[in-house]
Amino acid sequence: MDERLWTDRALADGEAIAAAGCRISRSGTGHQTLVSGDLTAAISMLAPDAPLLGFAEVSDTPEQAIRIARDHALLVTSNPVQEDPGWHSAGFALSDAGNRFACLDLAGHGAMDVLAHGLASAAPVGSPSAALYFVGLPVLVTGTRTGLKLWVDQAHLTYLTGFIARIGRNAGPAFDS
Amino acid sequence: MTGWRHQTLGRNIDRSKPLRFSFDGQDVDGFAGDTLASALIASGQRILGRSFKYHRPRGLWGMGAEEPNAVLDVRHGSEHWPNTRATLARAQDGMTVTSVNAWPTARGDMFRLMDLAHRFLPAGFYYKTFMALPWRFYEPMIRRMAGLGRVDPSCAPRADVAQVSAECDVLVIGAGPAGIAAAKAAAETGKRVWLVEESSQLGGTLRWRGGEIGGTPWQEFAAATREIVLAAGGRILTETTLWGAFDHGSFAAWERGVPERHWRIRSTRTILASGGIERPVWFANNDLPGVMSAEAAFHHLILYGAAPGRRVLLAMASDRGVPVARALTDAGVEVTLVDARKTPVDCGVPRVTGRIEAAHGRRGVDSATVNGKRIACDTILCAGGTTPTLHIWCQAGGKLDWDASRDMLVPRPGTAPMTVVGAAAGVLDLETAVEDGWAAGSEIEATNRPAPKSPPDHVFRPDPSLPGRQWIDLQNDVTLKDVTLAAREGFSSVEHLKRYTTLGMATDQGRTSNFAGLTAMAAVTDRTIPATGTTTYRPPFQPVPLRAIAGPARGALYHAPKRLTLEDMHRAAGARFREYGGWLRPATYGAGDETTVARIEAQTARQSVGVFDASPLGKLDVIGPGAADLLDFTGYVRMSTLKPGRARYGFMLSETGIVYDDGVVLRLAEDHFLVSTSSSHVEGVRYRLEDARQDRIGRGRVFIHDITQGFTTLTVTGPKAREMCRKAGIELPDLPHMGVGQTSFEGSPMRVARISFTGDLSYELSVPANLAHALHDRLDTALPEVGGCWIGLEAVLILRAEKGFILIGKDTDGATMPHDLGWGGPRTRREDEYIGKRSLFTPEAQGDKRRQLVGLRVRDGDAVIATGSHLIEDQGARRSLGFVTSSCFSPTLKRPIALALLENGRDRIGGSVQVFNDGEVRSAEVTMACAFDPKGEYLDG
């Protein structure tokens, strides 16, 4: 392995991969804010219309609070939140997450199949947390009407692009439809 | 030549699709659907390999994973499968198949004379030989002869086996009659059933023995099972080996079909219906080609039309051999039963009461001695009894009990979280096996159990009174005499027996040998079978290629290095990338020798300005009223006294006082800090902060957010850094060294920190990642105007080395404490508690021979010292006093520089040491670690 010779790259806007009965493409990520502490207070103050989402939970609203842990969530909003980063006396901490997460849209009946290729055990259906490890990397998984969204750290996007493309090229469906 | 193809039998083959492959250079004809084994038998090939130690000719024994002899090297196109079982490999047109452990062919093996020396090569002979000469005399020869098969490095295994996780309500392992019944019953209760079968079809032994289940032909029952399992949301995997049982109901299975997949299955309930393996019968020369499992012969005849011979002796001690004999007779084979029972039942097939004492023949069976008389034959089939296949049960922690009435080791109920049914549970009666399977699938108690049988009339055991050699383990060439030898030499424990003789340690995992070895050892040591015990089964159930488990993790997918947002821009600028701290980062820019290019880049940065991508440095927001307390407790340097808008360098120690990471902490507000970590330690530092946050400081008082990847940081460093930023249109706040502020960039906040890792005036500019390209473009446009350039990590490493700035893990090791690096202040001044404090005052920590960070200066030319060189005294005993940690040529100072950890280093400054590497010794002066601008005058530009 000589990393100096690698030419792989991340999935670009407008591109798509077909894998396991599913179409994977880049999705918009909005403005990202990490909040911890009193999530109710944080959401109420920063994005009152945002539902708090667990694993693969579906929401049609552009603003969402994706739950990572008991007291930790990623707020996705259309516009930057109006509060400054730091501690808020309502009982929560706020950080501008910049563009920490990229988002992959998995559209199609095979979305869970794609996920199955990267999980060490069965998908945590019903979990209040959207966080899990996919191919050993931390990701967040929310739902859409047509499949799933995978929120991945920007720095891992190239690797995950390559991995998902490999699913599409070689292995066929995880679960024959 | 004995094997032949029946004209009509062979339900698995398609005679309209002939194929041809080569075996040891000879063409072999077969049909689509054949396995290599069936095609080889049908073509009359008897010698398929040579035994491991004695190079005796060996032929086919079995029909599945238990096959010990027909292990072949298979090539097809560009693919290569070494050590493949002929019984499990599908024949394909154009394959090149060769025997292993034989040269040039199995039939004409040059090493067959080894068998003449068998008296000198018993089990464990190598423990008593190879002593007259030094070991290195023997080693090359032994290495050439040892092992089985060869790997061809030019055939890279495919990296495309999908790794898939799944879950189910009921996992049924094995699709024989009991397994099918269990699957159907469970599916009928609405459960999601996964039925896993190693062969390509459902049915198990029913496929050749035939039979009915509940009055229905077994094929119809199997089809109905398939339908209902799938309708209930389950799945049927054929050609799939379930190879491992792991904790909490997790199983691993390798699906060998198309597509090839590796499954990780978690089940709520598991039913094991893995069947049983036919036992051999033991007599002299029982390893000759032509000696075969009776069940395997039946299997090959019905499924592939491959008959093993024309004149067959069938050794048996139960009625299970009778259907085999009848089928062979119907196919035109002359069969004589050799029935060892005292009161055998007449079944219409010619019969002799007694036993086989020896097989005879040079390259294969041509006769046998039965009751002292010689009988001509070309094949000896052995129906020696059944050994339940319980590997998965034992892997799951299950124990075994000895059942003398069935002459088997059977599962001890309640010792593993699965239900065992069918032959795996020692139930050989079809009706009972089906009933048990049904009950298990339905989760009800089985009823109508037959009364326990009395012990069998006759049981086969290896008999030491018979003259000649009897093979216990065919694949590892272990004989009965080896077992008695082991006992005589004190290796009577079954675990010692295994390791001393290698019985059961081959790739067949002792499927046909463990029971014989166990009973032979019991007899020799006058113990019962339970008292002798069994060895442990471990995964995999049968060999699984590593590529099946590794999946696509190869090359760029082997490991997930992190990638920069600006990677495309760096590549466009000619960057050559390398992995640093888990990130792919530019090492140098442009063509040419990398070392030379790095020096030029460093020199440019020192004289003008250099810009590098510092995004990977960790950025952890620590926020809350308890933030200062947390950092004081987890850090060596107090941060609570840091004023907002300022930054401070510090360390994180482990509890043993060892330096874990270093970095700069920025205080953005009274209750808001930004901790900068080494790029490789982000997760580790975050974990340690989180640990203290939850256990000591309080969950509600402080929170940690990792925002490393949300921002791009470009560092502008050099005497013209300020000018460069101005030309780039960046309005810098007025900051002192180690100050942090904010400005605006493209309508968004940009954090500016005046922190220097190079010793020059430096500005770290951080913007949200979506503005990274804009920032890059601005700086890229301004660079030529100030005579600067992009610099890679190699240049940065030179610049920091000139200043004596450390890299954790390179200039520190697993014993380095902060005072070894010259940071003794907090250790002496801090009175409050912090992680690692107490360890800093142990006798070891206060010793006078600690390795301390120093610089080195050589006086004998421009050659750079090799990193890792040992430091030794000028005179006296050659003892390592430490080693060189960083070394390079300084373009600033125009000479080599180095950093080192040296015993009592600070007291040696001004003195000299010898630098030893690979036989070469040089002399060096010990200096301060900082070789350039020790007063920091360049920090202000």
Side-chain angles (χ1 to χ4, degrees):
Chain A
M1 179 179 80
D2 189 345
E3 67 272 21
R4 285 175 282 188
L5 304 177
W6 292 357
T7 55
D8 57 333
R9 59 173 180 82
L11 189 67
D13 288 330
E15 289 181 329
I17 300 169
C22 187
R23 183 175 181 277
I24 298 102
S25 58
R26 293 284 295 270
S27 179
T29 55
H31 291 267
Q32 300 173 26
T33 307
L34 288 170
V35 292
S36 293
D38 187 339
L39 294 184
T40 305
I43 295 169
S44 163
M45 188 182 294
L46 303 171
D49 296 329
L52 188 58
L53 302 176
F55 174 76
E57 283 192 88
V58 178
S59 170
D60 293 323
T61 62
E63 307 209 323
Q64 302 175 348
I66 304 171
R67 191 170 206 166
I68 300 171
R70 214 171 301 177
D71 57 359
H72 188 39
L74 172 71
L75 281 187
V76 179
T77 53
S78 308
N79 299 301
V81 297
Q82 296 304 303
E83 300 292 330
D84 290 331
W87 178 250
H88 290 261
S89 58
F92 65 89
L94 183 159
S95 288
D96 182 357
N99 298 102
R100 178 179 162 181
F101 292 94
C103 185
L104 294 175
D105 185 61
L106 279 58
H109 62 86
M112 288 296 277
D113 293 352
V114 170
L115 208 61
H117 276 92
L119 299 181
S121 63
V125 175
S127 171
S129 167
L132 51 75
Y133 281 96
F134 179 72
V135 208
L137 301 172
V139 303
L140 305 175
V141 181
T142 56
T144 67
R145 295 285 167 211
T146 55
L148 298 172
K149 275 192 196 262
L150 221 61
W151 299 79
V152 308
D153 278 324
Q154 287 278 1
H156 292 142
L157 188 57
T158 301
Y159 180 87
L160 288 175
T161 299
F163 181 85
I164 293 173
R166 179 73 77 154
I167 296 173
R169 267 205 305 277
N170 295 322
F175 297 87
D176 300 325
S177 48
Chain B
M1 307 281 273
T2 56
W4 52 282
R5 180 83 73 179
H6 191 272
Q7 280 186 334
T8 55
L9 290 174
R11 85 169 52 109
N12 276 12
I13 60 174
D14 184 349
R15 292 175 194 262
S16 72
K17 294 179 183 171
L19 56 83
R20 176 172 287 181
F21 61 91
S22 73
F23 171 67
D24 274 357
Q26 281 192 315
D27 286 339
V28 176
D29 291 320
F31 299 100
D34 259 325
T35 62
L36 290 178
S38 61
L40 286 166
I41 297 175
S43 68
Q45 294 281 349
R46 290 188 91 178
I47 302 176
L48 303 185
R50 288 279 171 168
S51 69
F52 186 57
K53 187 163 54 171
Y54 303 122
H55 283 255
R56 288 171 61 88
R58 289 282 167 78
L60 188 76
W61 161 264
M63 58 182 174
E66 83 284 9
E67 172 56 38
N69 298 328
V71 176
L72 307 172
D73 186 279
V74 180
R75 290 171 190 267
H76 193 221
S78 62
E79 301 205 66
H80 176 220
W81 301 281
N83 296 344
T84 301
R85 273 184 169 70
T87 48
L88 296 176
R90 203 181 285 276
Q92 294 184 59
D93 191 64
M95 270 182 168
T96 301
V97 181
T98 49
S99 56
V100 300
N101 203 42
W103 188 83
T105 65
R107 186 171 173 77
D109 181 36
M110 298 283 285
F111 294 98
R112 60 186 183 271
L113 297 178
M114 295 276 291
D115 195 37
L116 297 177
H118 69 86
R119 282 184 180 76
F120 307 103
L121 304 172
F125 75 93
Y126 33 81
Y127 298 124
K128 306 159 189 168
T129 51
F130 307 119
M131 295 179 191
L133 296 171
W135 170 244
R136 61 179 177 272
F137 176 81
Y138 304 106
E139 185 180 355
M141 173 181 60
I142 293 173
R143 283 193 181 279
R144 273 197 301 274
M145 295 185 67
L148 198 66
R150 290 288 180 265
V151 172
D152 180 356
S154 68
C155 292
R158 296 192 317 270
D160 60 0
V161 180
Q163 308 290 305
V164 193
S165 295
E167 50 138 8
C168 61
D169 298 323
V170 181
L171 175 65
V172 179
I173 305 167
I180 296 174
K184 189 164 185 286
E188 283 177 350
T189 65
K191 296 283 190 282
R192 282 175 308 138
V193 178
W194 278 48
L195 177 60
V196 180
E197 165 58 39
E198 186 166 57
S199 73
S200 58
Q201 299 157 332
L202 307 186
T205 56
L206 296 171
R207 291 179 291 152
W208 55 92
R209 282 181 171 262
E212 289 187 346
I213 299 179
T216 306
W218 73 268
Q219 295 94 327
E220 289 180 24
F221 189 87
T225 298
R226 177 183 290 276
E227 197 177 314
I228 195 165
V229 164
L230 296 179
R235 189 170 183 88
I236 296 177
L237 296 174
T238 55
E239 284 192 275
T240 302
T241 301
L242 193 131
W243 62 263
F246 304 94
D247 291 342
H248 310 301
S250 291
F251 297 87
W254 171 37
E255 184 180 4
R256 306 186 302 275
V258 177
E260 196 175 355
R261 288 181 280 221
H262 186 256
W263 296 92
R264 292 177 175 84
I265 305 169
R266 175 157 289 175
S267 68
T268 307
R269 206 158 59 84
T270 306
I271 299 171
L272 183 65
S274 44
I277 297 169
E278 184 153 66
R279 285 183 201 152
V281 176
W282 299 278
F283 43 84
N285 300 321
N286 61 327
D287 69 322
L288 280 174
V291 179
M292 194 173 171
S293 154
E295 197 72 26
F298 200 177
H299 164 99
H300 282 108
L301 178 69
I302 301 301
L303 297 186
Y304 304 101
R310 299 276 184 190
R311 297 184 71 181
V312 169
L313 293 182
L314 198 161
M316 63 184 213
S318 74
D319 289 340
R320 279 189 72 77
V322 171
V324 185
R326 288 203 178 118
L328 287 166
T329 303
D330 290 345
V333 177
E334 184 187 315
V335 180
T336 303
L337 297 176
V338 181
D339 198 331
R341 290 176 288 184
K342 296 185 185 65
T343 53
V345 176
D346 188 2
C347 56
V349 178
R351 177 173 52 83
V352 172
T353 301
R355 65 172 185 173
I356 298 176
E357 292 149 7
H360 306 284
R362 205 168 133 258
R363 288 197 168 139
V365 172
D366 60 27
S367 60
T369 298
V370 179
N371 298 338
K373 288 186 187 170
R374 197 95 164 212
I375 300 178
C377 63
D378 60 18
T379 305
I380 299 174
L381 299 182
C382 300
T386 302
T387 298
T389 305
L390 291 169
H391 301 66
I392 298 298
W393 169 262
C394 293
Q395 286 178 23
K399 306 296 179 211
L400 302 177
D401 282 332
W402 172 244
D403 185 339
S405 69
R406 289 182 281 185
D407 195 40
M408 292 174 183
L409 286 162
V410 295
R412 183 183 305 165
T415 56
M418 58 181 70
T419 307
V420 188
V421 296
V427 175
L428 303 181
D429 172 68
L430 175 62
E431 193 178 325
T432 310
V434 169
E435 187 188 305
D436 284 354
W438 190 270
S442 309
E443 294 187 85
I444 60 175
E445 279 291 321
T447 57
N448 299 326
R449 303 214 52 84
K453 292 182 181 172
S454 52
D457 184 321
H458 177 87
V459 293
F460 286 108
R461 296 286 188 267
D463 182 359
S465 70
L466 289 177
R469 289 182 285 169
Q470 301 172 50
W471 264 263
I472 302 293
D473 185 322
L474 289 168
Q475 193 169 9
N476 264 2
D477 250 350
V478 179
T479 65
L480 178 59
K481 288 184 179 172
D482 291 324
V483 177
T484 55
L485 172 67
R488 200 160 64 237
E489 296 197 356
F491 298 104
S492 55
S493 152
V494 70
E495 299 284 1
H496 286 152
L497 166 67
K498 171 182 174 180
R499 286 155 180 82
Y500 187 68
T501 64
T502 74
L503 186 152
M505 293 178 70
T507 64
D508 65 344
Q509 298 185 322
R511 283 176 173 76
T512 54
S513 61
N514 278 345
F515 182 78
L518 159 66
T519 58
M521 181 57 78
V524 164
T525 56
D526 200 24
R527 290 178 290 176
T528 63
I529 288 172
T532 307
T534 59
T535 54
T536 307
Y537 289 119
R538 298 184 177 88
F541 171 70
Q542 75 140 337
V544 177
L546 286 174
R547 64 174 179 78
I549 301 169
R554 203 81 57 80
L557 292 183
Y558 171 70
H559 164 63
K562 301 184 183 80
R563 313 293 277 264
L564 298 168
T565 300
L566 288 173
E567 181 176 325
D568 57 336
M569 305 303 288
H570 296 310
R571 285 193 187 276
R576 284 177 285 193
F577 282 77
R578 195 169 303 140
E579 182 178 340
Y580 297 89
W583 287 78
L584 207 63
R585 302 177 72 175
T588 57
Y589 287 82
D593 173 68
E594 278 198 14
T595 305
T596 304
V597 171
R599 290 180 191 174
I600 294 171
E601 288 178 8
Q603 193 164 26
T604 304
R606 269 291 179 238
Q607 293 173 350
S608 171
V609 68
V611 181
F612 66 94
D613 195 330
S615 303
L617 285 174
K619 298 177 264 292
L620 300 177
D621 255 354
V622 180
I623 303 170
D629 292 340
L630 177 67
L631 294 179
D632 277 356
F633 181 69
T634 56
Y636 177 63
V637 176
R638 288 191 73 152
M639 296 298 167
S640 55
T641 56
L642 185 63
K643 290 185 171 40
R646 299 305 301 267
R648 183 175 290 167
Y649 176 74
F651 298 97
M652 177 177 271
L653 309 183
S654 65
E655 288 191 14
T656 53
I658 308 304
V659 176
Y660 174 72
D661 196 28
D662 72 336
V664 172
V665 175
L666 292 72
R667 193 165 197 170
L668 305 180
E670 198 60 35
D671 46 23
H672 187 180
F673 293 81
L674 184 69
V675 175
S676 177
T677 78
S678 299
S679 55
S680 57
H681 280 59
V682 180
E683 285 83 13
V685 170
R686 188 180 73 80
Y687 177 80
R688 287 162 189 248
L689 289 173
E690 189 65 41
D691 196 44
R693 170 205 163 226
Q694 294 188 22
D695 278 352
R696 183 179 179 93
I697 307 301
R699 289 172 182 265
R701 297 188 62 230
V702 59
F703 297 92
I704 302 147
H705 294 157
D706 181 358
I707 55 172
T708 305
Q709 297 180 39
F711 295 85
T712 289
T713 300
L714 296 179
T715 299
V716 182
T717 180
K720 295 186 181 178
R722 208 177 275 123
E723 179 186 348
M724 159 93 180
C725 291
R726 193 177 65 248
K727 286 188 185 298
I730 296 169
E731 191 177 332
L732 293 173
D734 185 21
L735 297 172
H737 175 61
M738 299 299 272
V740 57
Q742 188 168 291
T743 187
S744 178
F745 180 78
E746 302 278 327
S748 290
M750 170 196 278
R751 187 175 61 249
V752 181
R754 237 195 89 178
I755 298 168
S756 178
F757 191 46
T758 61
D760 281 309
L761 173 67
S762 296
Y763 290 94
E764 291 184 357
L765 309 175
S766 298
V767 295
N770 65 335
L771 293 177
H773 285 75
L775 179 61
H776 176 279
D777 289 346
R778 289 263 203 105
L779 296 175
D780 195 52
T781 303
L783 265 175
E785 297 181 33
V786 294
C789 67
W790 289 95
I791 64 173
L793 260 290
E794 292 303 311
V796 174
L797 293 177
I798 293 174
L799 295 169
R800 66 95 201 171
E802 290 175 343
K803 288 296 296 180
F805 293 159
I806 61 168
L807 286 178
I808 296 295
K810 181 170 172 54
D811 304 300
T812 67
D813 66 7
T816 306
M817 293 182 167
H819 51 284
D820 299 327
L821 302 172
W823 282 77
R827 177 169 171 255
T828 54
R829 289 197 296 268
R830 281 187 72 174
E831 294 178 355
D832 57 322
E833 285 295 328
Y834 54 91
I835 292 176
K837 175 179 179 178
R838 297 179 193 211
S839 299
L840 298 178
F841 296 95
T842 62
E844 174 72 25
Q846 297 181 99
D848 59 3
K849 289 195 187 303
R850 292 196 61 80
R851 290 181 177 178
Q852 298 168 335
L853 184 72
V854 295
L856 294 175
R857 179 174 182 161
V858 291
R859 298 193 179 282
D860 56 356
D862 290 344
V864 170
I865 302 173
T867 303
S869 298
H870 283 273
L871 307 176
I872 56 180
E873 295 282 12
D874 286 336
Q875 294 171 10
R878 198 171 261 188
R879 178 177 71 87
S880 178
L881 304 173
F883 55 97
V884 176
T885 60
S886 294
S887 180
C888 60
F889 187 87
S890 165
T892 306
L893 302 168
K894 309 266 188 300
R895 61 173 174 82
I897 58 170
L899 297 175
L901 288 172
L902 174 63
E903 192 175 288
N904 209 17
R906 283 197 287 278
D907 284 349
R908 291 176 184 261
I909 291 175
S912 64
V913 286
Q914 302 279 302
V915 181
F916 177 89
N917 181 59
D918 205 14
E920 183 192 8
V921 180
R922 300 173 71 182
S923 181
E925 178 190 349
V926 182
T927 68
M928 299 284 291
C930 179
F932 170 71
D933 185 30
K935 292 184 180 174
E937 291 168 334
Y938 279 68
L939 285 172
D940 287 324

